[in-house]
Amino acid sequence: MSALICEVVYRGIFQKNLASRITRGIVLSARKSGRWGIAFGRYGDSPQRNGIPAKDFAIVADTKEELEQNMARYEPKHVDVTICVDDTLAKGVESWAWYGLQPINRLTLPNGTLLMTSLQPFEDLLRDIHKKDEPYTLAVIRARASFSGLWVYKEDHTEVRILGALAKIAPEFLTLDGVCQAIGEMEWGSELKVASVRKAYERLEARQIQPGEGNAEVPYAFELPRWWEMREGVTIPAIPIGKPKEGGKGYVPERNPYFKKFTTRTMRPVVDFDTCVKCNLCWIACPDSCFDVMPDGTFDANMEACCGCGVCEAVCPVESCITMVNEAVFEDNASQWDMWRKDKTAYKTWLTDKITNKKATVRSHGFRFRGQYEEEIKTDLDAGGAEITAGIPGENAKHKTI
Amino acid sequence: MAVATKTAPAVAEDRELLISGSEAVAEALALADIDVVTAYPIRPYDTVMQAIAKKIANGQLVAEYIVAEGEHSQFEVVKHASTVGARVFCGSSGVGWAYAMECLVVTPPLRVPMVAMVGNRALDDPGAFGVEHNDALFVRDLGWMLVWIDSSQEALDTTLIGYRLAEDRRVFLPLAISADGAFLTHSQALTLVPPKAKVERFLPPYNRGDLLLHPDNPITVAPQANEDWVIEIRRQNNEAMARAVIVIEEAYADFRTIFGRGPENPWFEEYMTDDAEIILVGMGTISLPIKVGIRNMRAQGKKVGLVRLRWFRPFPTDRLVAALSKASVIGVIDRDYSFGSPFGSGVVANEIRAAMYNAPKRPPLVSFICGLGGREVTLEDVYKVTDLCYNAAKTGKSDTKTHWLGVRE
């Protein structure tokens, strides 16, 4: 008796359909080798919210009894394979208040696999992924965060490439033939997609990660209060008023210490304090009150509070004063203003490096122009990207059952 | 927090007024000096709404009187007023109470000590005005305290006790006072109205304390929560309901001391039960025909008694079991229905069956459904109920059938 438990960590809205297609694919592929399975979604916050980290699961087992045994809880506590289809989630996820920061590999079993789509080198990913006490395998399919689950975007084959990779990771449950059969015959009905499965199977990159290897940060965590410790009347204390910065100047608002929300962020604002005209607009427009007012009257986006919505960039009247940059190129949440004050020349170099990086400043979640995603996907072809096909993923099959 | 203090008559002794159950509630509201009342008309609750409006118009009560556009808003408005520290009153009947359901559901977890009057009315369809208890019973599982009364005097007294109970920090739960439509809401009886000075000794001002929504006490009320929080909140509500049992006993005892009247047993009235072979159980004004019937039957040597249940939530399990265990047979008359329930019985009968489950002595129980839609419960009905109970006494077994009485057959 044995079972394979997989989780898919994805970003709400953007990848909701993609994630469910992956988990369905796992079950349908395993079924081709006579396995039983179930695919299901769980969520802390709503997967309908933009960018909120959410999860889908797939369990396949030899017998119905073993499947039930693994289903008799709200969601799996340990998984054989963690699948992450957006590498900005490598820094961890926080989908609800009091969850704390949960490392992306938190549920991955010893000697299990973290399977990611990413264009980053392993060492860059490991600066984000928290260290573990047990070894595991980091497997990477070269691809950017996929949007093909959204009906307005084109196919990029991410879901079948993940399945092809799984055939290599867990061949005892998902044989390559089983996956190809499922893709060819069932909901997908596409030979082109079968080819993508085989390519992913061959091109999968994997590396053994040793205990202690990875981001050494201790993720913040909370104890949930007992029923008699909680306030009555479904009430919580309001967030207190904030405090001025040094010398009684500036202003830093208090923030919810139990829900920082920054794992929702896929891009972050980079601020040029030298060109800031102190107009207040970013501070006023920010829906999360993430800007701290500095003693000199400039505004520092607090990276513990920023969800990365980009409203500040949109309202800033100064060219290139606020620029949204992909989260993947940052390694910590340190204050940009402190960096700037310490060494203005060094900050200018750092800033220029970030905001002139074309790959990092294109919108990763939401686009500047029609067709941007298709262009990007094509340019990724050399790195193992997929052909773009017309139509809606999973909607072309003659054999589609739902 | 109550603000209207200047208009109470400075009379030292009780006055005797000829008033209906609804008017008696309104008298109590003036004495309790409520701050905010919301209104939306539906018979028979509208009688209390009119009586309050009159009191405000006459300068006997200073309070915000807000006419809502429906029961949903009506209950929502008082909920918010209560969280900022106002003593509030609200009420409805039948499907009006049902329309407020979403607000009724959130009131107990937010620990809002609202007092509401339900003028019990049959639910639609058919559109009807007569009494049935199913409306108030909607909220029986949700953390509302539920009490049934059977006289104008009890209406006035229970309203005063109700604020004292609901606003006790150990409780902070809403209370619905059920008054049978027509039989109580529209019947005027001689009622003692106490002076305000006595009421002030009994009823302290509403103090919302740490739960007060105020700029000096910044809190967020009712945030979204996930599965990590909900069961703890339910557990808190359960504890508050358990504490209400203690507070009810205290409040009735203090009421007796200060006002010189009121029952020693808050939970239910026992009428001729000391030597009773048959104990009938019911809620509300059904007590009248039953009491008269009992007197007539006693004249013929039949030892029959009545337990009129006042408090349905919290349910007085231990005391009720002790009282009913004395009987040879228990006959429960429900003025409500629960289609498809165990034995097809009404709600009260099945609650009592559940309460008796662990009792060392479990007399046979016969259940009846009677007087729905405001139909009169006649003396003949009471005699028939008693006869069927005596049949069960002969066999010594519970009757598994629920008897519908007063139905054209």
Side-chain angles (χ1 to χ4, degrees), chain A residues 43-45 49 74-75 96-99 223-240, chain B residues 109-111 169 208 210-211 217-229 231-233 235-236 239-240 243:
Chain A
Y43 46 87
D45 197 351
R49 291 185 209 208
Y74 179 71
E75 62 181 35
W96 193 270
W98 291 83
Y99 266 41
E223 286 257 325
L224 287 164
R226 287 167 279 199
W227 73 268
W228 48 269
E229 292 171 325
M230 285 164 55
R231 289 179 58 95
E232 291 189 302
V234 199
T235 56
I236 51 172
I239 305 295
Chain B
L110 297 188
R111 310 298 290 279
R169 183 63 186 86
R208 192 150 177 82
D210 59 321
L211 301 188
N217 183 44
I219 52 171
T220 295
V221 181
Q224 190 86 354
N226 66 359
E227 75 279 0
D228 284 335
W229 300 92
I231 197 167
E232 281 75 20
I233 292 166
R235 180 74 181 78
Q236 289 181 336
E239 195 69 12
R243 287 194 294 254

Side-chain angles (χ1 to χ4, degrees), chain B residues 142-178:
Chain B
L142 304 178
W144 276 78
M145 299 184 287
L146 293 175
V147 63
W148 262 263
I149 53 178
D150 81 337
S151 69
S152 292
Q153 190 66 62
E154 204 168 71
L156 188 146
D157 296 352
T158 306
T159 305
L160 294 175
I161 291 167
Y163 280 107
R164 161 88 180 247
L165 162 67
E167 292 173 2
D168 191 296
R169 183 63 186 86
R170 292 167 289 177
V171 180
F172 267 19
L173 288 174
L175 166 68
I177 301 172
S178 277

Side-chain angles (χ1 to χ4, degrees), chain A residues 135-328:
Chain A
Y136 66 96
T137 302
L138 176 60
V140 175
I141 293 173
R142 291 301 168 192
R144 65 183 57 237
S146 169
F147 293 89
S148 71
L150 284 176
W151 56 96
V152 290
Y153 296 112
K154 304 277 187 177
E155 278 275 34
D156 65 5
H157 294 202
T158 297
E159 88 276 34
V160 296
R161 298 179 74 206
I162 293 283
L163 295 174
L166 281 172
K168 191 152 217 170
I169 293 164
E172 62 279 23
F173 287 92
L174 277 83
T175 60
L176 184 59
D177 285 349
V179 174
C180 291
Q181 239 183 309
I183 300 298
E185 295 170 11
M186 302 184 77
E187 296 179 12
W188 298 268
S190 156
E191 284 311 309
L192 192 59
K193 287 205 161 189
V194 171
S196 287
V197 170
R198 292 188 187 280
K199 271 192 219 167
Y201 181 86
E202 283 153 21
R203 291 176 182 177
L204 182 70
E205 298 172 29
R207 207 186 113 174
Q208 182 81 7
I209 308 302
Q210 298 309 318
E213 201 180 348
N215 181 356
E217 173 199 47
V218 177
Y220 62 93
F222 302 109
E223 286 257 325
L224 287 164
R226 287 167 279 199
W227 73 268
W228 48 269
E229 292 171 325
M230 285 164 55
R231 289 179 58 95
E232 291 189 302
V234 199
T235 56
I236 51 172
I239 305 295
I241 290 171
K243 294 182 193 74
K245 293 278 288 182
E246 59 227 33
K249 290 180 175 173
Y251 177 73
V252 179
E254 287 284 342
R255 299 188 169 96
N256 187 343
Y258 310 114
F259 193 15
K260 302 188 187 236
K261 296 189 287 187
F262 64 80
T263 65
T264 304
R265 190 170 69 223
T266 53
M267 299 191 88
R268 70 164 68 173
V270 172
V271 182
D272 188 344
F273 300 97
D274 291 323
T275 60
C276 171
V277 294
K278 306 176 186 179
C279 68
N280 289 345
L281 284 176
C282 57
W283 181 76
I284 291 168
C286 176
D288 292 295
S289 303
C290 93
F291 283 93
D292 293 343
V293 186
M294 295 294 112
D296 63 357
T298 59
F299 300 90
D300 188 26
N302 188 307
M303 286 302 120
E304 295 266 293
C306 170
C307 293
C309 69
V311 166
C312 51
E313 183 196 45
V315 298
C316 181
V318 179
E319 181 78 24
S320 300
C321 177
I322 299 182
T323 311
M324 297 302 289
V325 180
N326 193 291
E327 185 62 24

